[in-house]
């Protein structure tokens, strides 16, 4: 499989935490009490942009704040990985982009995510819609690549326990969250990436997420030269402590990190 990098990309990590975020409500562990800004993690999402196009992958419960914090004033689309609440709950706040662009926003989603969006945000699809509700144009996606402006996006199916989840490759960059297994034929779609972002929840075994060692093992097997770990829980350890344990080419992502390729 050959992937060509059509447009230079900028990736902005809007959030790098797991479903509860870090710090976790009511927790007094070392990580949740940390004064290091890199240990403060909103729910996982990235902003992908070229000179002409921009989209977010997932709208977390922190979506409004993530847009304000990153000073994002234009958005062409939203691309979804799966329907869990920590990845779709912020969709209502797309209304501001509707207001300023005066048009619907394109939503790229697999069948299970589209079903959840239509159910949870039913008022956006009502026959008689209340003024100011989100204006959405849902575009179904499966295994075939699609274009968001000038950015080609190739879905990669991964498994989150028993739930199929979509990861995405854009040129030399691959983003995978909420996974604990990737079939060999889907791994082929990742090979050749210069940068891989992959979830590493904690060190202990988990039902539906890669552990730190599992994420490192997969990245090494795929021979990816630069790897960033995301969807991190407070159980993993502090950013500084874990960073000191990692190989040189594997790094913890953190909120606000930006990379270009």
């Amino acid at each position: 499989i050959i992937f060509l990098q059509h447009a230079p990309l900028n990736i902005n990590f809007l959030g790098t935490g797991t479903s509860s975020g870090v710090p976790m409500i009511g927790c007094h562990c070392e990580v949740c009490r940390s004064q290091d800004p890199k240990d403060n993690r909103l729910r996982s999402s990235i902003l992908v942009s070229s000179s002409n196009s921009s989209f977010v992958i997932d709208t977390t419960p922190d979506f409004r704040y993530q847009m304000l914090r990153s000073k994002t004033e234009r958005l062409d689309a939203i691309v979804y990985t799966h329907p869990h609440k920590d990845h779709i709950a912020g969709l209502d706040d797309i209304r501001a982009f509707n207001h300023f662009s005066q048009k619907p926003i394109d939503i790229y989603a697999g069948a299970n995510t589209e079903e959840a969006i239509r159910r949870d945000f039913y008022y956006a699809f009502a026959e008689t819609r209340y003024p100011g509700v989100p204006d959405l144009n849902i575009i179904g996606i499966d295994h075939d690549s699609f274009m968001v402006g000038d950015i080609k996006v190739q879905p990669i199916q991964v498994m989150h326990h028993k739930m199929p989840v979509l990861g995405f490759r854009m040129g030399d960059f691959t983003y995978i969250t909420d996974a604990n297994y990737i079939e060999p034929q889907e791994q082929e779609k990742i090979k050749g990436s210069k940068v891989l972002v992959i979830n590493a929840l904690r060190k202990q075994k988990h039902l539906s997420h890669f552990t730190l060692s599992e994420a490192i093992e997969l990245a090494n097997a795929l021979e990816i030269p630069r790897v960033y770990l995301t969807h991190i829980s407070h159980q993993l350890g502090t950013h500084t402590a874990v960073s000191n344990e990692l190989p040189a080419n594997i790094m913890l992502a953190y909120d606000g990190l930006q990379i270009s390729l």
Side-chain angles (χ1 to χ4, degrees):
I1 300 173
I2 299 174
F3 289 85
L4 298 177
Q5 182 75 53
H6 294 293
L9 294 180
N10 183 70
I11 311 298
N12 186 337
F13 288 80
L14 303 172
T16 56
T18 189
S19 57
S20 60
V22 185
M24 180 178 171
I25 294 171
C27 184
H28 303 285
C29 74
E30 179 188 14
V31 178
C32 290
R33 290 185 289 108
S34 172
Q35 297 302 302
D36 184 349
K38 292 180 180 177
D39 286 320
N40 291 333
R41 301 180 184 277
L42 300 180
R43 270 61 73 93
S44 288
S45 173
I46 58 171
L47 173 68
V48 181
S49 56
S50 67
S51 57
N52 299 310
S53 310
S54 64
F55 62 91
V56 292
I57 297 182
D58 295 332
T59 53
T60 79
D62 306 307
F63 176 68
R64 174 183 172 275
Y65 180 52
Q66 289 169 334
M67 294 294 91
L68 291 170
R69 185 168 72 171
S70 61
K71 296 181 170 56
T72 301
E73 298 182 356
R74 172 197 159 192
L75 205 58
D76 297 310
I78 301 164
V79 177
Y80 281 108
T81 59
H82 68 296
H84 280 165
K85 270 292 195 291
D86 55 319
H87 293 263
I88 70 170
L91 177 58
D92 187 81
D93 284 317
I94 209 67
R95 293 176 295 146
F97 293 106
N98 293 147
H99 172 75
F100 288 110
S101 69
Q102 289 295 297
K103 63 181 182 181
I105 190 154
D106 289 337
I107 306 291
Y108 294 87
N112 59 345
T113 305
E114 179 176 351
E115 179 185 359
I117 289 172
R118 290 186 181 275
R119 180 185 65 241
D120 294 358
F121 301 93
Y122 62 91
Y123 50 89
F125 305 97
E127 198 169 308
T128 303
R129 302 195 313 150
Y130 191 83
V133 301
D135 193 1
L136 311 174
N137 175 38
I138 297 187
I139 302 166
I141 57 175
D142 46 31
H143 302 289
D144 296 329
S145 62
F146 57 94
M147 300 295 295
V148 180
D150 60 349
I151 303 173
K152 183 178 181 179
V153 184
Q154 171 62 58
I156 300 166
Q157 184 173 294
V158 303
M159 294 305 295
H160 183 35
H161 187 39
K162 296 181 180 180
M163 173 181 280
V165 168
L166 293 177
F168 300 100
R169 180 167 177 175
M170 291 75 69
D172 292 326
F173 175 81
T174 297
Y175 181 78
I176 294 171
T177 182
D178 288 59
N180 71 317
Y181 177 72
I182 307 174
E183 292 185 355
Q185 63 265 33
E186 296 299 305
Q187 291 187 27
E188 289 297 319
K189 299 176 183 177
I190 305 170
K191 289 181 178 179
S193 299
K194 293 180 180 177
V195 177
L196 169 65
V197 179
I198 192 163
N199 67 133
L201 186 74
R202 63 189 193 188
K203 294 180 179 178
Q204 300 82 10
K205 189 70 177 176
H206 191 269
L207 178 70
S208 59
H209 285 277
F210 286 126
T211 64
L212 178 62
S213 60
E214 288 169 344
I216 292 172
E217 182 181 359
L218 177 61
N220 287 339
L222 294 172
E223 300 181 332
I224 308 298
R226 188 158 46 124
V227 179
Y228 294 93
L229 306 177
T230 193
H231 213 292
I232 294 164
S233 81
H234 64 144
Q235 296 169 313
L236 184 62
T238 65
H239 182 93
T240 298
V242 177
S243 295
N244 288 336
E245 302 171 3
L246 296 176
N249 69 313
I250 299 179
M251 295 147 279
L252 292 185
Y254 55 87
D255 291 21
L257 171 65
Q258 295 190 50
I259 60 175
S260 298
L261 66 164

